[in-house]
Every structure is written in structure tokens, then in C-alpha cells.
Amino acid sequence: MIERFAEIIGENELDSIYKIAEKLKGMSVLHVNSTPAGGGVAEILSKLVPLMRELGINTDWKVIRGDTEFFKVTKSFHNSLQNGIGELPQGAFETYKKWQEINGNELDLDYDIIFIHDPQPAGLINFKRKGKWIWRCHIDISNPYEPVWNFLREYIQKYESVIVSSAVFARDDLKNPQYIIPPSIDPLSIKNRDIPDITVKRILYKFDLDPERPIITQISRFDRAKDPLGVIRAYKLVKKHSDVQLAYVGSPASDDPEGEEVYKETVQAAGNDKDIKLLVLPPNSDLEVNAFQRGATVVMQKSIKEGFGLTVSEALWKKKAVIGGNTGGIPLQIIHGINGYLVNTPEEAAHYALYLIRQKSIREKLGEAGREHVRRNFLITRELRDYLMVAALSLGS
């Protein structure tokens, strides 16, 4: 499977991966996160784990369990870490500790290297029996709500090292070594590989979108951090000047109990405009997502907080000009004016969306630059190599 990437990344890059993996052969590696599907972490692990196995590394992936109360707590942690404002359920810390203990006693954690993804399972470090433990943070922790950060930091400081997605997320108050590993996409997956135009049109028609008219697309959870109301606002501003349509496409995730509530808010904001399609698709609707991105005139990721935003790289890979929120990991992917535009308000988003709808040659120029930027920086093979490097360094190999 990994050989199929050679024509995209080149033989030298592939050879470097094999050389690092050689140092880890026979080692056991475990990834732990909080959901098997939905969201970027699960998506990356679904690609990364098979590739590590193919390289001869004994790699497993386990998902912690929890009840609704636990995931409300961890969602509140997520929001407070990214927004710097805390609104926690009563007894939040006790609930968190209870489920760490349940999972810590249930999961087999005897591995040579363990990657713990995000805050939800971070407390498992208290059940460490062997190996090197690495906390991989996928969200923006540069300006956290201090009570939550201080609570989690007591766990995080016990890890051998920490991985964050961007240098701006690194923390001065951690003594652990911190590595920078941006997330990535799999260019050969169903979501990202080339598909025929007829397939794109068939799927757009299926969801009552007209491929002959301009389409703004945002692929995101129904999450306030993704600013769905801001997307609606931007669309309505563009609509005054263009016969545009909006496709906001999301999937539910088991660790995000706020999704339904935010969806209802978005439906209310959309009103009775028949050109706004708010779609909740099952996780792994990869072909549909591929088609929505390829069929878009403009792709938007108007987040107001964002760990990385894989959908930006997905769209850039498809040669789409992307308008992204100027936050988190999005500026790593979008170079303003070169492969897309960074914005801070719905008004700015509307301005650039209308400009791109009217300027096909500019869209194409930005799209070409975007694909090359992703090829060089945000493909799964680069992230695989980075993980192998961190693992090798942790073991002193």
C-alpha cells in the first residue's frame, strides 16, 4: 500500500520512511483516542495505523469509552481550552477522573510506545506500567481556560513528550519535550482521490444542488468553533449579488454531544432559503465529501477556533481556492493571496467568496498553488515519517 505513494512523494521520501521504520521493527505501538469515527483524529488514525503495521511495527488503536456525562465534560474541556473561557458541568473534574479510572483498568496498556490523542484520554497516564507515553494534542491550547489547563497539566507533565500541530500551540509551562507535527490527508483515500465529473454531478443532483450554478461548500461538524452561523451570514451577503447555493455538510461524532443543538441553531439561521443545504451525513461519507468539495466553486472553512482543519488541505488538494478563518492551524495551510484567503469576519468571507465566484482564472491559479502546498507539507506520508521520528527519539534509537 505504501508503495502507491511513490508517484506522489518520490522515491527518496519513501526511502527515508523505510529507514526510520527499520529502527522500530518489532516494537509495539498503541494509539488511544475517544471516537472510532467522525472528526480528523479518527480519520488520520484510520490511515496511519495500517501504514505503521505495513512497515513491520506492531500497532494497535483503541478507543476509550464514556457516558454522555463524560463526553459533555470533555466537550466543555475542548471548548474552554480553545476559547479561554470556561463553562464546566458540575463535578466535571470528578467525572473525568472516574472515567479515566474505568478505562485505565479495562484497557491493555502494555506497549513500548503509547500515543494518547487529545484531552479525553490524557488521564490514562496514571495507569502507565511500561513504555514511553506521548501526548498528542490536536487542538489549540495557546490560550486555554486556566482552571482546566492546570487540571490537565498535572497529567500531561507525566508524559515523556508532547506533540502539537503548530509552533504557536507550544506551551512555555511544560517541561516535556514538545514536537511540532501538523496533521495530514491521504491523497489516495476515497475522500481525496480523483473521481469522474459525472460522479460529482450525480451526487450534487442527489442532494438537490445545481452544478451549473455557483456553490459555496463548508465541510464541518455542526460545532460553534466552525462558525456555521458566520457561514450562513457570509452566504446571505454573497446571495445579494450572485445566484449562489450553500452546502454545509457535517457528520455526527460520538464524543460531541453539542452537535444536535448547534444544528438546530443553524437551521433557524438558514430560515426558508431553499438554496441552503444543511446536510448531516453518516461518518465515512467520503465519496460524498469528495464530490461536494470538487463540485464547489468556493470552499469555506470559516472557523473561529481550529486545531488544524483537515478539510482545508482536502480542498486545496482538489485545486480549490479556500477561504479560511484566520485561526489555529488554518494559516499553516492557507497562504493569503497565494492559495486562498484568510478572514476574520463573515463580511470578509463574503467579499472573497464573491470575488472568487466572479474570477475563474484567479480560482484556478490559487487552486494549483494549493495542491502543491499540500503535496509538500500535508500528506499522510509526511505525518507517518514524523511519528516514526518521535517514536525513535523516545526510545533512543
Side-chain angles (χ1 to χ4, degrees):
M1 183 168 64
I2 196 169
E3 290 290 337
R4 294 189 298 149
F5 291 97
E7 65 181 47
I8 300 173
I9 63 173
E11 292 292 344
N12 289 340
E13 179 70 11
L14 202 55
D15 188 52
S16 71
I17 292 172
Y18 280 122
K19 285 179 178 174
I20 303 169
E22 190 67 31
K23 298 177 181 293
L24 298 169
K25 274 194 175 175
M27 294 291 176
S28 59
V29 175
L30 175 65
H31 291 272
V32 180
N33 78 320
S34 61
T35 179
V41 179
E43 184 170 335
I44 290 170
L45 290 178
S46 71
K47 311 299 180 187
L48 195 67
V49 169
L51 289 173
M52 293 180 80
R53 288 174 179 162
E54 187 180 337
L55 291 168
I57 303 165
N58 301 320
T59 309
D60 287 330
W61 172 15
K62 297 179 181 179
V63 177
I64 60 168
R65 68 185 186 92
D67 60 6
T68 302
E69 185 182 5
F70 172 68
F71 286 118
K72 283 182 179 176
V73 167
T74 55
K75 181 67 178 183
S76 72
F77 281 11
H78 177 100
N79 291 341
S80 64
L81 290 171
Q82 291 212 131
N83 300 333
I85 301 169
E87 189 173 340
L88 308 181
Q90 190 171 10
F93 295 155
E94 289 71 24
T95 300
Y96 183 86
K97 291 176 182 176
K98 181 183 81 172
W99 281 98
Q100 301 305 305
E101 185 169 352
I102 291 171
N103 283 287
N105 287 320
E106 289 182 352
L107 295 173
D108 175 8
L109 300 171
D110 290 332
Y111 288 77
D112 296 315
I113 303 168
I114 297 185
F115 292 98
I116 300 291
H117 294 262
D118 277 335
Q120 296 95 328
L124 291 178
I125 187 68
N126 281 359
F127 298 85
K128 174 181 176 180
R129 288 182 284 272
K130 59 172 283 193
K132 304 293 185 182
W133 286 52
I134 301 158
W135 187 59
R136 202 306 182 215
C137 181
H138 294 268
I139 63 175
D140 181 351
I141 52 172
S142 59
N143 183 34
Y145 178 58
E146 290 296 332
V148 171
W149 174 245
N150 290 337
F151 172 75
L152 290 172
R153 191 177 58 180
E154 293 301 312
Y155 296 111
I156 294 163
Q157 290 181 143
K158 298 176 183 177
Y159 285 80
E160 263 75 25
S161 58
V162 171
I163 300 171
V164 292
S165 297
S166 168
V168 298
F169 299 165
R171 299 285 312 176
D172 292 334
D173 57 356
L174 290 177
K175 294 181 180 178
N176 332 44
Q178 296 177 64
Y179 300 102
I180 312 299
I181 300 183
S184 63
I185 65 167
D186 179 358
L188 304 179
S189 67
I190 294 173
K191 184 186 281 188
N192 294 311
R193 69 191 184 196
D194 289 340
I195 56 175
D197 289 343
I198 189 65
T199 303
V200 173
K201 288 184 178 179
R202 178 178 60 78
I203 291 172
L204 293 179
Y205 281 131
K206 176 181 174 182
F207 289 96
D208 200 23
L209 286 154
D210 180 358
E212 305 305 322
R213 293 164 51 205
I215 300 173
I216 297 172
T217 294
Q218 175 155 316
I219 310 290
S220 286
R221 290 187 188 186
F222 286 89
D223 182 326
R224 294 186 183 94
K226 314 296 183 184
D227 198 18
L229 302 190
V231 175
I232 298 283
R233 166 75 178 157
Y235 157 82
K236 289 186 174 179
L237 290 170
V238 175
K239 188 71 173 178
K240 294 178 181 177
H241 308 279
S242 170
D243 187 22
V244 69
Q245 306 158 88
L246 172 65
Y248 191 112
V249 184
S251 295
S254 57
D255 64 347
D256 186 3
E258 281 184 355
E260 185 175 348
E261 180 182 331
V262 177
Y263 173 76
K264 290 177 180 174
E265 293 171 4
T266 312
V267 169
Q268 188 171 12
N272 57 4
D273 188 331
K274 294 181 178 178
D275 281 333
I276 299 178
K277 310 298 180 187
L278 303 178
L279 306 173
V280 180
L281 302 185
N284 304 320
S285 298
D286 291 350
L287 180 62
E288 286 79 6
V289 169
N290 192 336
F292 281 120
Q293 289 171 329
R294 289 185 189 279
T297 313
V298 175
V299 172
M300 205 172 277
Q301 185 59 54
K302 219 211 81 49
S303 304
I304 50 179
K305 284 291 178 179
E306 189 64 75
F308 186 72
L310 277 178
T311 53
V312 173
S313 279
E314 291 168 5
L316 293 174
W317 180 249
K318 299 173 179 79
K319 299 185 180 180
K320 293 295 173 180
V322 183
I323 298 168
N326 189 14
T327 184
I330 293 178
L332 293 176
Q333 303 170 81
I334 295 178
I335 305 169
H336 187 77
I338 303 297
N339 62 10
Y341 297 103
L342 294 167
V343 298
N344 294 294
T345 65
E347 287 73 19
E348 287 180 336
H351 166 74
Y352 284 116
L354 187 59
Y355 174 67
L356 289 169
I357 287 169
R358 290 172 170 172
Q359 300 292 333
K360 183 180 179 184
S361 62
I362 299 295
R363 295 202 308 269
E364 292 175 346
K365 182 180 176 183
L366 298 181
E368 291 288 343
R371 183 177 173 98
E372 180 60 14
H373 186 52
V374 172
R375 191 188 72 79
R376 290 178 178 274
N377 299 288
F378 303 118
L379 297 185
I380 188 72
T381 40
R382 191 274 308 149
E383 187 168 14
L384 170 65
R385 184 195 60 199
D386 289 352
Y387 268 88
L388 297 179
M389 283 289 292
V390 170
L393 287 169
S394 299
L395 292 170
S397 301

